[in-house]
Amino acid sequence: MNTDVRNAIYNQAKEWVLEAGKNIRTKIDDPLVIDTKSNPNDLVTTMDKETEAYFVEKINQNYPEHFIIGEEGYGDKLTALDGTVWIIDPIDGTMNFVHQKRNFAISVGIYHDGIGEIGLIYDVMADILYHAKRTEGAYKNENKLAPLKQNVKFDEAIIGLNHFWLCDNRLVDEKVMQQFVRNIRGSRTYGSAALEFAYVAEGIVNGYLTMSLAPWDIAAGIVIVNEVGGVTTDIDGAKLNMLAKNSVLTCNPNLQQDIIMYLKKGRK
């Protein structure tokens, strides 16, 4: 994707993200219809569906040759990332949206022939937009994010991870993960994968570790983290499949091998 085309798509995508966020803020106290998907804690609301439908309509009107992968199923069924593909999570952190009315984000990643070109993560209620274009750096609103520090040590790291690592041994023995938490400086849980990626890029956490995320959870964040020198792989260090669910590690590159080796101690 050439620079002029990318800039034009970025400007349009940014406008739509901010507009969608404004609509959510306007309706934040309206009654919601809340349903569940894969399990009782996998929530979807009328606002998730309305927001995704908004993006799909705009993209189809303005870029009919582009493809869409969306969490709520309004997009295309793809077997490859050929061409330009928008990967959208209309509300990442739906449980936070429902229960807290904050700490959720709109996440839009735009890929061309499998390469992440544009990433937008919008913390709707805080009105903070994390954004990046490939090779042009990453930003928090208008402020450019600094490259990640290269001297972070394992025992000084703050890592984002949720409680499943400590009580669910499907991937890694929970006792190993309990020791992992004891050996790092601290852990945090924010309830939104997109925001966790943004915080890694900002450098306020040094990594984020999760058992299973879909492409729409990570697509924008990968682009943003890349632009500050971070790395994103599965928990074995392998390349992610952007058409399937993955275990995910995104972090300061100085920590990647230490974390992967620690996880391998407890792998099933």
Side-chain angles (χ1 to χ4, degrees):
M1 181 180 289
N2 70 49
T3 301
D4 290 342
V5 170
R6 183 172 62 209
N7 287 343
I9 294 173
Y10 163 82
N11 289 332
Q12 186 66 86
K14 180 180 177 182
E15 178 183 320
W16 292 339
V17 166
L18 295 176
E19 183 61 32
K22 180 180 179 182
N23 181 62
I24 293 172
R25 286 195 300 273
T26 299
K27 298 180 178 180
I28 192 69
D29 292 317
D30 289 359
L32 285 172
V33 176
I34 304 169
D35 295 315
T36 60
K37 295 187 287 188
S38 62
N39 63 68
N41 295 324
D42 187 9
L43 306 181
V44 60
T45 72
T46 47
M47 185 55 68
D48 293 81
K49 296 176 182 178
E50 178 182 326
T51 303
E52 184 166 310
Y54 166 83
F55 282 110
V56 170
E57 180 182 9
K58 292 292 188 181
I59 295 164
N60 286 339
Q61 285 177 351
N62 291 269
Y63 304 105
E65 72 281 9
H66 290 186
F67 301 100
I68 303 166
I69 298 173
E71 180 174 13
E72 308 312 330
Y74 290 92
D76 304 296
K77 304 297 182 185
L78 302 181
T79 58
L81 288 180
D82 298 335
T84 301
V85 183
W86 297 59
I87 306 177
I88 299 169
D89 194 337
I91 298 180
D92 184 75
T94 300
M95 190 177 293
N96 289 351
F97 170 68
V98 170
H99 289 277
Q100 301 175 354
K101 298 183 180 180
R102 67 188 71 186
N103 301 321
F104 61 89
I106 296 171
S107 178
V108 177
I110 303 174
Y111 283 58
H112 184 72
D113 290 339
I115 297 171
E117 295 282 354
I118 295 167
L120 300 153
I121 295 173
Y122 186 40
D123 184 337
V124 173
M125 301 310 291
D127 191 23
I128 295 172
L129 179 66
Y130 296 89
H131 53 107
K133 291 176 278 186
R134 186 172 63 86
T135 73
E136 295 186 29
Y139 292 79
K140 178 184 180 183
N141 288 337
E142 302 308 315
N143 299 314
K144 190 170 186 178
L145 297 178
L148 297 181
K149 296 178 180 178
Q150 297 301 303
N151 59 350
V152 179
K153 298 177 182 178
F154 182 78
D155 60 0
E156 297 174 346
I158 297 176
I159 305 296
L161 74 165
N162 59 40
H163 69 279
F164 294 111
W165 288 102
L166 306 180
C167 63
D168 184 338
N169 63 3
R170 286 174 296 170
L171 277 181
V172 180
D173 187 280
E174 67 268 24
K175 292 181 181 179
V176 171
M177 293 309 299
Q178 290 164 13
Q179 190 62 45
F180 176 86
V181 170
R182 293 187 187 102
N183 287 355
I184 60 176
R185 176 163 283 174
S187 61
R188 297 291 184 270
T189 300
Y190 296 99
S192 163
L195 290 178
E196 303 255 18
F197 267 83
Y199 298 157
V200 171
E202 191 175 355
I204 60 176
V205 297
N206 306 113
Y208 172 51
L209 188 60
T210 185
M211 282 188 178
S212 179
L213 288 182
W216 45 79
D217 298 311
I218 62 177
I222 290 171
V223 179
I224 295 170
V225 168
N226 283 349
E227 288 301 304
V228 293
V231 291
T232 306
T233 64
D234 72 9
I235 63 171
D236 292 315
K239 185 177 179 180
L240 297 174
N241 180 352
M242 294 305 294
L243 293 171
K245 286 191 173 183
N246 301 265
S247 63
V248 176
L249 169 62
T250 186
C251 65
N252 186 307
N254 204 48
L255 297 170
Q256 184 187 30
Q257 289 307 310
D258 286 340
I259 295 173
I260 289 171
M261 292 305 296
Y262 210 111
L263 296 178
K264 284 184 177 179
K265 296 177 185 178
R267 286 306 301 273
K268 297 297 181 179

